Amino acid sequence: MMISKRQLMRPQVILVILAIILCLTSCTPTITQMGYLEKDVSPEYVVSALDKKPKYAFLWKDTPGINELVYVYAISAGSSNINNYYLYFINDKLDYWGYPHEFARSDDPLLNAIGQKTTAKIDKKKEEEFSPY
């Protein structure tokens, strides 16, 4: 009985796919790790605790004397789903964190605005990254 090249390649293909999935899910922080964050910690503490720099960081100085910083992490929410997760700092202290839809449904108009500005900024960056020009 002869074994074809195709039959020999099948296990290798499966191993490569599993390795990619493992890398994607292990290279990103998880929702469980986000649960360990506490209000008022510094941006440096967050990076250290998550052992990963944010995917994006946006700083706004719209109000004199107030620095608003948003870190955007791509986090693994279980299987192979990767979602954006926002961490909002006021004057270098973590104030609020969650998924974009949690910012959108907040009763606080400031958090709504931060979520909208962050999402718009990410969309603009994605357009720039994928623009052929």
Side-chain angles (χ1 to χ4, degrees), residues 118-130:
T118 302
T119 300
K121 197 88 158 161
I122 291 169
D123 290 345
K124 185 175 181 184
K125 280 199 164 286
K126 284 181 181 175
E127 286 176 14
E128 292 169 358
E129 290 171 4
F130 295 111

Side-chain angles (χ1 to χ4, degrees), residues 23-44:
C23 181
L24 286 175
T25 57
S26 66
C27 298
T28 60
T30 65
I31 190 64
T32 303
Q33 288 174 293
M34 295 298 178
Y36 295 124
L37 298 177
E38 296 179 8
K39 194 168 179 155
D40 294 331
V41 297
S42 70
E44 294 81 14

Side-chain angles (χ1 to χ4, degrees), residues 60 62 68 70 86 88 100 103-121:
W60 286 286
D62 297 337
E68 296 175 303
V70 176
Y86 299 170
Y88 172 60
F103 277 76
R105 70 178 182 204
S106 171
D107 293 336
D108 186 341
L110 174 64
L111 293 176
N112 294 148
I114 290 295
Q116 289 173 1
K117 287 194 307 189
T118 302
T119 300
K121 197 88 158 161

Side-chain angles (χ1 to χ4, degrees), residues 49-106:
L50 298 177
D51 198 27
K52 184 144 177 90
K53 291 183 179 179
K55 181 177 177 181
Y56 301 111
F58 304 115
L59 178 64
W60 286 286
K61 296 183 178 185
D62 297 337
T63 307
I66 297 176
N67 292 328
E68 296 175 303
L69 173 66
V70 176
Y71 278 177
V72 179
Y73 278 90
I75 68 165
S76 172
S79 59
S80 61
N81 292 343
I82 306 295
N83 298 303
N84 283 336
Y85 197 84
Y86 299 170
L87 287 80
Y88 172 60
F89 299 85
I90 296 178
N91 292 330
D92 293 327
K93 292 184 178 180
L94 184 60
D95 185 65
Y96 189 84
W97 58 103
Y99 291 105
H101 69 270
E102 293 173 316
F103 277 76
R105 70 178 182 204
S106 171

